[in-house]
Amino acid sequence: MSWHDLDLLEQALTHSSFTYESRQNSSENNQRLEFLGDAVLGLAVSDYLYRNHPHRDEGELTKLRAALVCEPSLARMARELELGYCLNMGKGEERSGGRERPSILADAFEALLGAVYLDQGLDQAAKLAIEFLRPVINDVLEGRLDRDYKTELQEYVQQRGNEQVQYVILKEQGPDHHKIFTAGVVYKGGLVGSGAGRSKKEAEQQAAKSALLELRREK
């Protein structure tokens, strides 16, 4: 995707902690774009559900929209896009785990949509919103929306201090067309959980689930 105004993209990727620490004007961070993107996202999802599910009543549509336009879903998409690594962020916020914080990731995703809306119009922004959310939409509609264990684990360890978790691929097995990955979670210098899956992301989710069980057992 090409941009007409790259300053909008830069603003969408600038967290308020960065402008605060650098003493820049607060209007240059992504908070206003997040406000705009929230409205764009709500309209895009509502329009998609209305047009593609004519037999669902208002209550069903409202529940579906709520499952899609929520912090875990948006943080998941931001993580898929690796927005956390792209953010301009203050050093203090970064040290406290800001690049993995679900609320910051969700806001960045909405800010990005707001920037696309201003740069390329509603149709393109809505199209991208649905395209990005397609995996979540499919999970919700098919009733198989899995828990986001990586987000749960991140929130859990943040409640216990500033230590962060890291994911490592411990091994890969099998041929390329049927490879199995084993991932591990490192916390405070030790391996606290591991899990396997047919993709690195699935393995990391299973490892996070294992780590959550272990850390809660130790509590």
PDB file of all heavy atoms in Angstrom, residues 106-144:
ATOM      1  N   ALA A 106      -3.881  -2.309  20.593  1.00  0.00           N
ATOM      2  CA  ALA A 106      -5.227  -2.099  20.044  1.00  0.00           C
ATOM      3  C   ALA A 106      -5.403  -0.654  19.589  1.00  0.00           C
ATOM      4  O   ALA A 106      -5.964  -0.390  18.515  1.00  0.00           O
ATOM      5  CB  ALA A 106      -6.287  -2.463  21.089  1.00  0.00           C
ATOM      6  N   ASP A 107      -4.927   0.283  20.393  1.00  0.00           N
ATOM      7  CA  ASP A 107      -5.032   1.704  20.023  1.00  0.00           C
ATOM      8  C   ASP A 107      -4.221   2.000  18.753  1.00  0.00           C
ATOM      9  O   ASP A 107      -4.654   2.786  17.902  1.00  0.00           O
ATOM     10  CB  ASP A 107      -4.526   2.594  21.166  1.00  0.00           C
ATOM     11  CG  ASP A 107      -5.492   2.632  22.339  1.00  0.00           C
ATOM     12  OD1 ASP A 107      -6.628   2.138  22.199  1.00  0.00           O
ATOM     13  OD2 ASP A 107      -5.106   3.154  23.400  1.00  0.00           O
ATOM     14  N   ALA A 108      -3.058   1.374  18.638  1.00  0.00           N
ATOM     15  CA  ALA A 108      -2.224   1.595  17.454  1.00  0.00           C
ATOM     16  C   ALA A 108      -2.906   1.064  16.197  1.00  0.00           C
ATOM     17  O   ALA A 108      -2.829   1.680  15.125  1.00  0.00           O
ATOM     18  CB  ALA A 108      -0.863   0.923  17.638  1.00  0.00           C
ATOM     19  N   PHE A 109      -3.581  -0.067  16.332  1.00  0.00           N
ATOM     20  CA  PHE A 109      -4.305  -0.629  15.190  1.00  0.00           C
ATOM     21  C   PHE A 109      -5.405   0.331  14.738  1.00  0.00           C
ATOM     22  O   PHE A 109      -5.576   0.592  13.544  1.00  0.00           O
ATOM     23  CB  PHE A 109      -4.914  -1.978  15.585  1.00  0.00           C
ATOM     24  CG  PHE A 109      -5.660  -2.664  14.469  1.00  0.00           C
ATOM     25  CD1 PHE A 109      -4.977  -3.363  13.497  1.00  0.00           C
ATOM     26  CD2 PHE A 109      -7.036  -2.605  14.400  1.00  0.00           C
ATOM     27  CE1 PHE A 109      -5.657  -4.000  12.462  1.00  0.00           C
ATOM     28  CE2 PHE A 109      -7.733  -3.235  13.380  1.00  0.00           C
ATOM     29  CZ  PHE A 109      -7.037  -3.931  12.402  1.00  0.00           C
ATOM     30  N   GLU A 110      -6.152   0.872  15.697  1.00  0.00           N
ATOM     31  CA  GLU A 110      -7.206   1.819  15.354  1.00  0.00           C
ATOM     32  C   GLU A 110      -6.624   3.108  14.778  1.00  0.00           C
ATOM     33  O   GLU A 110      -7.188   3.684  13.833  1.00  0.00           O
ATOM     34  CB  GLU A 110      -8.060   2.119  16.587  1.00  0.00           C
ATOM     35  CG  GLU A 110      -8.919   0.940  17.011  1.00  0.00           C
ATOM     36  CD  GLU A 110      -9.809   1.246  18.189  1.00  0.00           C
ATOM     37  OE1 GLU A 110      -9.406   2.052  19.064  1.00  0.00           O
ATOM     38  OE2 GLU A 110     -10.928   0.701  18.249  1.00  0.00           O
ATOM     39  N   ALA A 111      -5.506   3.561  15.326  1.00  0.00           N
ATOM     40  CA  ALA A 111      -4.872   4.776  14.808  1.00  0.00           C
ATOM     41  C   ALA A 111      -4.419   4.579  13.361  1.00  0.00           C
ATOM     42  O   ALA A 111      -4.541   5.488  12.532  1.00  0.00           O
ATOM     43  CB  ALA A 111      -3.677   5.159  15.688  1.00  0.00           C
ATOM     44  N   LEU A 112      -3.925   3.381  13.063  1.00  0.00           N
ATOM     45  CA  LEU A 112      -3.509   3.083  11.695  1.00  0.00           C
ATOM     46  C   LEU A 112      -4.694   3.170  10.739  1.00  0.00           C
ATOM     47  O   LEU A 112      -4.584   3.738   9.643  1.00  0.00           O
ATOM     48  CB  LEU A 112      -2.885   1.696  11.636  1.00  0.00           C
ATOM     49  CG  LEU A 112      -2.384   1.237  10.260  1.00  0.00           C
ATOM     50  CD1 LEU A 112      -1.281   2.151   9.752  1.00  0.00           C
ATOM     51  CD2 LEU A 112      -1.886  -0.209  10.341  1.00  0.00           C
ATOM     52  N   LEU A 113      -5.837   2.644  11.144  1.00  0.00           N
ATOM     53  CA  LEU A 113      -7.036   2.735  10.313  1.00  0.00           C
ATOM     54  C   LEU A 113      -7.475   4.188  10.147  1.00  0.00           C
ATOM     55  O   LEU A 113      -7.916   4.590   9.067  1.00  0.00           O
ATOM     56  CB  LEU A 113      -8.169   1.914  10.928  1.00  0.00           C
ATOM     57  CG  LEU A 113      -8.013   0.395  10.893  1.00  0.00           C
ATOM     58  CD1 LEU A 113      -9.221  -0.272  11.530  1.00  0.00           C
ATOM     59  CD2 LEU A 113      -7.822  -0.101   9.466  1.00  0.00           C
ATOM     60  N   GLY A 114      -7.354   4.963  11.212  1.00  0.00           N
ATOM     61  CA  GLY A 114      -7.686   6.385  11.120  1.00  0.00           C
ATOM     62  C   GLY A 114      -6.791   7.104  10.136  1.00  0.00           C
ATOM     63  O   GLY A 114      -7.246   7.958   9.362  1.00  0.00           O
ATOM     64  N   ALA A 115      -5.515   6.742  10.123  1.00  0.00           N
ATOM     65  CA  ALA A 115      -4.574   7.360   9.192  1.00  0.00           C
ATOM     66  C   ALA A 115      -4.888   6.968   7.752  1.00  0.00           C
ATOM     67  O   ALA A 115      -4.829   7.805   6.843  1.00  0.00           O
ATOM     68  CB  ALA A 115      -3.143   6.941   9.551  1.00  0.00           C
ATOM     69  N   VAL A 116      -5.240   5.703   7.537  1.00  0.00           N
ATOM     70  CA  VAL A 116      -5.602   5.251   6.196  1.00  0.00           C
ATOM     71  C   VAL A 116      -6.855   5.983   5.710  1.00  0.00           C
ATOM     72  O   VAL A 116      -6.952   6.381   4.547  1.00  0.00           O
ATOM     73  CB  VAL A 116      -5.828   3.724   6.172  1.00  0.00           C
ATOM     74  CG1 VAL A 116      -6.374   3.279   4.808  1.00  0.00           C
ATOM     75  CG2 VAL A 116      -4.538   2.984   6.482  1.00  0.00           C
ATOM     76  N   TYR A 117      -7.801   6.173   6.619  1.00  0.00           N
ATOM     77  CA  TYR A 117      -9.030   6.884   6.267  1.00  0.00           C
ATOM     78  C   TYR A 117      -8.720   8.308   5.779  1.00  0.00           C
ATOM     79  O   TYR A 117      -9.231   8.747   4.739  1.00  0.00           O
ATOM     80  CB  TYR A 117      -9.962   6.932   7.470  1.00  0.00           C
ATOM     81  CG  TYR A 117     -11.090   7.938   7.341  1.00  0.00           C
ATOM     82  CD1 TYR A 117     -12.160   7.701   6.496  1.00  0.00           C
ATOM     83  CD2 TYR A 117     -11.056   9.124   8.072  1.00  0.00           C
ATOM     84  CE1 TYR A 117     -13.187   8.627   6.354  1.00  0.00           C
ATOM     85  CE2 TYR A 117     -12.068  10.055   7.952  1.00  0.00           C
ATOM     86  CZ  TYR A 117     -13.139   9.800   7.093  1.00  0.00           C
ATOM     87  OH  TYR A 117     -14.150  10.730   6.957  1.00  0.00           O
ATOM     88  N   LEU A 118      -7.883   9.021   6.516  1.00  0.00           N
ATOM     89  CA  LEU A 118      -7.542  10.388   6.123  1.00  0.00           C
ATOM     90  C   LEU A 118      -6.721  10.416   4.834  1.00  0.00           C
ATOM     91  O   LEU A 118      -6.855  11.336   4.029  1.00  0.00           O
ATOM     92  CB  LEU A 118      -6.764  11.080   7.239  1.00  0.00           C
ATOM     93  CG  LEU A 118      -7.546  11.416   8.516  1.00  0.00           C
ATOM     94  CD1 LEU A 118      -6.613  12.028   9.545  1.00  0.00           C
ATOM     95  CD2 LEU A 118      -8.707  12.345   8.223  1.00  0.00           C
ATOM     96  N   ASP A 119      -5.887   9.426   4.656  1.00  0.00           N
ATOM     97  CA  ASP A 119      -4.977   9.414   3.513  1.00  0.00           C
ATOM     98  C   ASP A 119      -5.638   8.889   2.237  1.00  0.00           C
ATOM     99  O   ASP A 119      -5.364   9.389   1.145  1.00  0.00           O
ATOM    100  CB  ASP A 119      -3.760   8.552   3.842  1.00  0.00           C
ATOM    101  CG  ASP A 119      -2.644   8.698   2.829  1.00  0.00           C
ATOM    102  OD1 ASP A 119      -2.027   9.785   2.794  1.00  0.00           O
ATOM    103  OD2 ASP A 119      -2.384   7.742   2.080  1.00  0.00           O
ATOM    104  N   GLN A 120      -6.544   7.905   2.375  1.00  0.00           N
ATOM    105  CA  GLN A 120      -7.059   7.230   1.186  1.00  0.00           C
ATOM    106  C   GLN A 120      -8.570   7.046   1.158  1.00  0.00           C
ATOM    107  O   GLN A 120      -9.100   6.453   0.221  1.00  0.00           O
ATOM    108  CB  GLN A 120      -6.368   5.873   1.031  1.00  0.00           C
ATOM    109  CG  GLN A 120      -4.861   6.026   0.946  1.00  0.00           C
ATOM    110  CD  GLN A 120      -4.139   4.721   0.718  1.00  0.00           C
ATOM    111  OE1 GLN A 120      -4.636   3.844   0.038  1.00  0.00           O
ATOM    112  NE2 GLN A 120      -2.958   4.603   1.284  1.00  0.00           N
ATOM    113  N   GLY A 121      -9.248   7.522   2.187  1.00  0.00           N
ATOM    114  CA  GLY A 121     -10.699   7.486   2.155  1.00  0.00           C
ATOM    115  C   GLY A 121     -11.319   6.317   2.899  1.00  0.00           C
ATOM    116  O   GLY A 121     -10.637   5.363   3.274  1.00  0.00           O
ATOM    117  N   LEU A 122     -12.622   6.404   3.105  1.00  0.00           N
ATOM    118  CA  LEU A 122     -13.347   5.422   3.904  1.00  0.00           C
ATOM    119  C   LEU A 122     -13.353   4.041   3.266  1.00  0.00           C
ATOM    120  O   LEU A 122     -13.192   3.033   3.956  1.00  0.00           O
ATOM    121  CB  LEU A 122     -14.783   5.897   4.139  1.00  0.00           C
ATOM    122  CG  LEU A 122     -15.680   4.968   4.964  1.00  0.00           C
ATOM    123  CD1 LEU A 122     -15.076   4.711   6.346  1.00  0.00           C
ATOM    124  CD2 LEU A 122     -17.086   5.563   5.096  1.00  0.00           C
ATOM    125  N   ASP A 123     -13.563   3.966   1.966  1.00  0.00           N
ATOM    126  CA  ASP A 123     -13.647   2.659   1.306  1.00  0.00           C
ATOM    127  C   ASP A 123     -12.368   1.848   1.507  1.00  0.00           C
ATOM    128  O   ASP A 123     -12.426   0.649   1.820  1.00  0.00           O
ATOM    129  CB  ASP A 123     -13.924   2.828  -0.191  1.00  0.00           C
ATOM    130  CG  ASP A 123     -15.345   3.271  -0.483  1.00  0.00           C
ATOM    131  OD1 ASP A 123     -16.186   3.198   0.435  1.00  0.00           O
ATOM    132  OD2 ASP A 123     -15.627   3.692  -1.622  1.00  0.00           O
ATOM    133  N   GLN A 124     -11.227   2.489   1.323  1.00  0.00           N
ATOM    134  CA  GLN A 124      -9.952   1.784   1.489  1.00  0.00           C
ATOM    135  C   GLN A 124      -9.716   1.410   2.941  1.00  0.00           C
ATOM    136  O   GLN A 124      -9.242   0.304   3.240  1.00  0.00           O
ATOM    137  CB  GLN A 124      -8.802   2.648   0.972  1.00  0.00           C
ATOM    138  CG  GLN A 124      -7.420   2.011   1.099  1.00  0.00           C
ATOM    139  CD  GLN A 124      -7.230   0.798   0.212  1.00  0.00           C
ATOM    140  OE1 GLN A 124      -8.108   0.438  -0.573  1.00  0.00           O
ATOM    141  NE2 GLN A 124      -6.091   0.137   0.339  1.00  0.00           N
ATOM    142  N   ALA A 125     -10.051   2.312   3.856  1.00  0.00           N
ATOM    143  CA  ALA A 125      -9.857   2.028   5.276  1.00  0.00           C
ATOM    144  C   ALA A 125     -10.744   0.873   5.717  1.00  0.00           C
ATOM    145  O   ALA A 125     -10.310  -0.016   6.460  1.00  0.00           O
ATOM    146  CB  ALA A 125     -10.157   3.277   6.107  1.00  0.00           C
ATOM    147  N   ALA A 126     -12.004   0.865   5.263  1.00  0.00           N
ATOM    148  CA  ALA A 126     -12.927  -0.214   5.617  1.00  0.00           C
ATOM    149  C   ALA A 126     -12.472  -1.538   5.015  1.00  0.00           C
ATOM    150  O   ALA A 126     -12.539  -2.594   5.654  1.00  0.00           O
ATOM    151  CB  ALA A 126     -14.333   0.126   5.142  1.00  0.00           C
ATOM    152  N   LYS A 127     -11.999  -1.485   3.782  1.00  0.00           N
ATOM    153  CA  LYS A 127     -11.508  -2.689   3.113  1.00  0.00           C
ATOM    154  C   LYS A 127     -10.336  -3.301   3.882  1.00  0.00           C
ATOM    155  O   LYS A 127     -10.277  -4.521   4.108  1.00  0.00           O
ATOM    156  CB  LYS A 127     -11.080  -2.353   1.686  1.00  0.00           C
ATOM    157  CG  LYS A 127     -10.500  -3.527   0.919  1.00  0.00           C
ATOM    158  CD  LYS A 127     -10.052  -3.081  -0.477  1.00  0.00           C
ATOM    159  CE  LYS A 127      -9.394  -4.233  -1.240  1.00  0.00           C
ATOM    160  NZ  LYS A 127      -8.927  -3.805  -2.585  1.00  0.00           N
ATOM    161  N   LEU A 128      -9.399  -2.451   4.297  1.00  0.00           N
ATOM    162  CA  LEU A 128      -8.246  -2.930   5.045  1.00  0.00           C
ATOM    163  C   LEU A 128      -8.645  -3.467   6.416  1.00  0.00           C
ATOM    164  O   LEU A 128      -8.095  -4.464   6.890  1.00  0.00           O
ATOM    165  CB  LEU A 128      -7.213  -1.817   5.200  1.00  0.00           C
ATOM    166  CG  LEU A 128      -6.361  -1.512   3.962  1.00  0.00           C
ATOM    167  CD1 LEU A 128      -5.435  -0.341   4.248  1.00  0.00           C
ATOM    168  CD2 LEU A 128      -5.553  -2.732   3.549  1.00  0.00           C
ATOM    169  N   ALA A 129      -9.599  -2.805   7.060  1.00  0.00           N
ATOM    170  CA  ALA A 129     -10.060  -3.251   8.374  1.00  0.00           C
ATOM    171  C   ALA A 129     -10.577  -4.681   8.300  1.00  0.00           C
ATOM    172  O   ALA A 129     -10.221  -5.531   9.131  1.00  0.00           O
ATOM    173  CB  ALA A 129     -11.140  -2.312   8.894  1.00  0.00           C
ATOM    174  N   ILE A 130     -11.420  -4.955   7.306  1.00  0.00           N
ATOM    175  CA  ILE A 130     -11.986  -6.295   7.162  1.00  0.00           C
ATOM    176  C   ILE A 130     -10.911  -7.292   6.759  1.00  0.00           C
ATOM    177  O   ILE A 130     -10.883  -8.435   7.229  1.00  0.00           O
ATOM    178  CB  ILE A 130     -13.140  -6.289   6.133  1.00  0.00           C
ATOM    179  CG1 ILE A 130     -14.271  -5.367   6.615  1.00  0.00           C
ATOM    180  CG2 ILE A 130     -13.664  -7.699   5.907  1.00  0.00           C
ATOM    181  CD1 ILE A 130     -14.830  -5.712   7.985  1.00  0.00           C
ATOM    182  N   GLU A 131     -10.002  -6.857   5.889  1.00  0.00           N
ATOM    183  CA  GLU A 131      -8.917  -7.742   5.455  1.00  0.00           C
ATOM    184  C   GLU A 131      -8.034  -8.132   6.633  1.00  0.00           C
ATOM    185  O   GLU A 131      -7.686  -9.304   6.813  1.00  0.00           O
ATOM    186  CB  GLU A 131      -8.084  -7.032   4.388  1.00  0.00           C
ATOM    187  CG  GLU A 131      -6.934  -7.868   3.837  1.00  0.00           C
ATOM    188  CD  GLU A 131      -6.152  -7.125   2.769  1.00  0.00           C
ATOM    189  OE1 GLU A 131      -6.784  -6.444   1.936  1.00  0.00           O
ATOM    190  OE2 GLU A 131      -4.910  -7.214   2.785  1.00  0.00           O
ATOM    191  N   PHE A 132      -7.675  -7.159   7.465  1.00  0.00           N
ATOM    192  CA  PHE A 132      -6.848  -7.437   8.634  1.00  0.00           C
ATOM    193  C   PHE A 132      -7.570  -8.344   9.628  1.00  0.00           C
ATOM    194  O   PHE A 132      -6.968  -9.232  10.234  1.00  0.00           O
ATOM    195  CB  PHE A 132      -6.469  -6.128   9.347  1.00  0.00           C
ATOM    196  CG  PHE A 132      -5.493  -5.270   8.573  1.00  0.00           C
ATOM    197  CD1 PHE A 132      -5.513  -3.890   8.715  1.00  0.00           C
ATOM    198  CD2 PHE A 132      -4.567  -5.829   7.716  1.00  0.00           C
ATOM    199  CE1 PHE A 132      -4.613  -3.092   8.017  1.00  0.00           C
ATOM    200  CE2 PHE A 132      -3.664  -5.050   7.006  1.00  0.00           C
ATOM    201  CZ  PHE A 132      -3.691  -3.670   7.160  1.00  0.00           C
ATOM    202  N   LEU A 133      -8.858  -8.095   9.808  1.00  0.00           N
ATOM    203  CA  LEU A 133      -9.635  -8.831  10.815  1.00  0.00           C
ATOM    204  C   LEU A 133     -10.170 -10.164  10.321  1.00  0.00           C
ATOM    205  O   LEU A 133     -10.840 -10.865  11.068  1.00  0.00           O
ATOM    206  CB  LEU A 133     -10.805  -7.970  11.299  1.00  0.00           C
ATOM    207  CG  LEU A 133     -10.462  -6.852  12.287  1.00  0.00           C
ATOM    208  CD1 LEU A 133     -11.663  -5.941  12.488  1.00  0.00           C
ATOM    209  CD2 LEU A 133     -10.028  -7.439  13.632  1.00  0.00           C
ATOM    210  N   ARG A 134      -9.902 -10.523   9.086  1.00  0.00           N
ATOM    211  CA  ARG A 134     -10.479 -11.735   8.503  1.00  0.00           C
ATOM    212  C   ARG A 134     -10.265 -12.978   9.364  1.00  0.00           C
ATOM    213  O   ARG A 134     -11.213 -13.747   9.570  1.00  0.00           O
ATOM    214  CB  ARG A 134      -9.905 -11.964   7.108  1.00  0.00           C
ATOM    215  CG  ARG A 134     -10.509 -13.154   6.374  1.00  0.00           C
ATOM    216  CD  ARG A 134     -11.900 -12.878   5.908  1.00  0.00           C
ATOM    217  NE  ARG A 134     -11.926 -11.775   4.964  1.00  0.00           N
ATOM    218  CZ  ARG A 134     -13.048 -11.276   4.463  1.00  0.00           C
ATOM    219  NH1 ARG A 134     -14.221 -11.770   4.842  1.00  0.00           N
ATOM    220  NH2 ARG A 134     -13.012 -10.270   3.606  1.00  0.00           N
ATOM    221  N   PRO A 135      -9.054 -13.232   9.890  1.00  0.00           N
ATOM    222  CA  PRO A 135      -8.881 -14.422  10.729  1.00  0.00           C
ATOM    223  C   PRO A 135      -9.777 -14.416  11.963  1.00  0.00           C
ATOM    224  O   PRO A 135     -10.325 -15.448  12.347  1.00  0.00           O
ATOM    225  CB  PRO A 135      -7.395 -14.369  11.120  1.00  0.00           C
ATOM    226  CG  PRO A 135      -6.760 -13.533  10.061  1.00  0.00           C
ATOM    227  CD  PRO A 135      -7.789 -12.506   9.693  1.00  0.00           C
ATOM    228  N   VAL A 136      -9.924 -13.252  12.585  1.00  0.00           N
ATOM    229  CA  VAL A 136     -10.775 -13.150  13.774  1.00  0.00           C
ATOM    230  C   VAL A 136     -12.244 -13.315  13.381  1.00  0.00           C
ATOM    231  O   VAL A 136     -13.003 -13.984  14.076  1.00  0.00           O
ATOM    232  CB  VAL A 136     -10.560 -11.798  14.491  1.00  0.00           C
ATOM    233  CG1 VAL A 136     -11.434 -11.716  15.740  1.00  0.00           C
ATOM    234  CG2 VAL A 136      -9.102 -11.617  14.857  1.00  0.00           C
ATOM    235  N   ILE A 137     -12.635 -12.697  12.275  1.00  0.00           N
ATOM    236  CA  ILE A 137     -14.014 -12.822  11.793  1.00  0.00           C
ATOM    237  C   ILE A 137     -14.366 -14.285  11.575  1.00  0.00           C
ATOM    238  O   ILE A 137     -15.424 -14.764  12.018  1.00  0.00           O
ATOM    239  CB  ILE A 137     -14.212 -12.027  10.486  1.00  0.00           C
ATOM    240  CG1 ILE A 137     -14.133 -10.521  10.756  1.00  0.00           C
ATOM    241  CG2 ILE A 137     -15.563 -12.364   9.842  1.00  0.00           C
ATOM    242  CD1 ILE A 137     -14.144  -9.668   9.505  1.00  0.00           C
ATOM    243  N   ASN A 138     -13.480 -15.015  10.916  1.00  0.00           N
ATOM    244  CA  ASN A 138     -13.732 -16.431  10.661  1.00  0.00           C
ATOM    245  C   ASN A 138     -13.850 -17.221  11.952  1.00  0.00           C
ATOM    246  O   ASN A 138     -14.726 -18.083  12.096  1.00  0.00           O
ATOM    247  CB  ASN A 138     -12.612 -17.011   9.789  1.00  0.00           C
ATOM    248  CG  ASN A 138     -12.624 -16.455   8.378  1.00  0.00           C
ATOM    249  OD1 ASN A 138     -13.650 -15.978   7.897  1.00  0.00           O
ATOM    250  ND2 ASN A 138     -11.490 -16.513   7.697  1.00  0.00           N
ATOM    251  N   ASP A 139     -12.973 -16.929  12.909  1.00  0.00           N
ATOM    252  CA  ASP A 139     -13.029 -17.634  14.191  1.00  0.00           C
ATOM    253  C   ASP A 139     -14.342 -17.356  14.927  1.00  0.00           C
ATOM    254  O   ASP A 139     -14.964 -18.266  15.478  1.00  0.00           O
ATOM    255  CB  ASP A 139     -11.850 -17.212  15.079  1.00  0.00           C
ATOM    256  CG  ASP A 139     -10.534 -17.810  14.607  1.00  0.00           C
ATOM    257  OD1 ASP A 139     -10.573 -18.758  13.795  1.00  0.00           O
ATOM    258  OD2 ASP A 139      -9.475 -17.338  15.047  1.00  0.00           O
ATOM    259  N   VAL A 140     -14.752 -16.093  14.932  1.00  0.00           N
ATOM    260  CA  VAL A 140     -15.986 -15.717  15.631  1.00  0.00           C
ATOM    261  C   VAL A 140     -17.205 -16.362  14.976  1.00  0.00           C
ATOM    262  O   VAL A 140     -18.058 -16.953  15.648  1.00  0.00           O
ATOM    263  CB  VAL A 140     -16.148 -14.180  15.657  1.00  0.00           C
ATOM    264  CG1 VAL A 140     -17.552 -13.803  16.134  1.00  0.00           C
ATOM    265  CG2 VAL A 140     -15.107 -13.560  16.578  1.00  0.00           C
ATOM    266  N   LEU A 141     -17.294 -16.273  13.657  1.00  0.00           N
ATOM    267  CA  LEU A 141     -18.464 -16.793  12.952  1.00  0.00           C
ATOM    268  C   LEU A 141     -18.554 -18.310  13.026  1.00  0.00           C
ATOM    269  O   LEU A 141     -19.656 -18.871  13.004  1.00  0.00           O
ATOM    270  CB  LEU A 141     -18.422 -16.353  11.485  1.00  0.00           C
ATOM    271  CG  LEU A 141     -18.572 -14.848  11.243  1.00  0.00           C
ATOM    272  CD1 LEU A 141     -18.432 -14.525   9.764  1.00  0.00           C
ATOM    273  CD2 LEU A 141     -19.926 -14.351  11.750  1.00  0.00           C
ATOM    274  N   GLU A 142     -17.438 -18.989  13.133  1.00  0.00           N
ATOM    275  CA  GLU A 142     -17.432 -20.443  13.197  1.00  0.00           C
ATOM    276  C   GLU A 142     -17.395 -20.960  14.629  1.00  0.00           C
ATOM    277  O   GLU A 142     -17.265 -22.162  14.864  1.00  0.00           O
ATOM    278  CB  GLU A 142     -16.245 -20.989  12.401  1.00  0.00           C
ATOM    279  CG  GLU A 142     -16.363 -20.690  10.902  1.00  0.00           C
ATOM    280  CD  GLU A 142     -15.134 -21.128  10.116  1.00  0.00           C
ATOM    281  OE1 GLU A 142     -14.369 -21.971  10.657  1.00  0.00           O
ATOM    282  OE2 GLU A 142     -14.951 -20.647   8.992  1.00  0.00           O
ATOM    283  N   GLY A 143     -17.487 -20.031  15.574  1.00  0.00           N
ATOM    284  CA  GLY A 143     -17.572 -20.418  16.980  1.00  0.00           C
ATOM    285  C   GLY A 143     -16.307 -21.051  17.525  1.00  0.00           C
ATOM    286  O   GLY A 143     -16.357 -21.860  18.451  1.00  0.00           O
ATOM    287  N   ARG A 144     -15.181 -20.711  16.965  1.00  0.00           N
ATOM    288  CA  ARG A 144     -13.926 -21.291  17.436  1.00  0.00           C
ATOM    289  C   ARG A 144     -12.897 -20.204  17.777  1.00  0.00           C
ATOM    290  O   ARG A 144     -11.709 -20.352  17.484  1.00  0.00           O
ATOM    291  CB  ARG A 144     -13.349 -22.239  16.388  1.00  0.00           C
ATOM    292  CG  ARG A 144     -13.175 -21.642  15.004  1.00  0.00           C
ATOM    293  CD  ARG A 144     -12.597 -22.683  14.035  1.00  0.00           C
ATOM    294  NE  ARG A 144     -12.567 -22.180  12.667  1.00  0.00           N
ATOM    295  CZ  ARG A 144     -11.632 -21.402  12.176  1.00  0.00           C
ATOM    296  NH1 ARG A 144     -10.649 -21.006  12.951  1.00  0.00           N
ATOM    297  NH2 ARG A 144     -11.672 -21.003  10.911  1.00  0.00           N
TER     298      ARG A 144
END
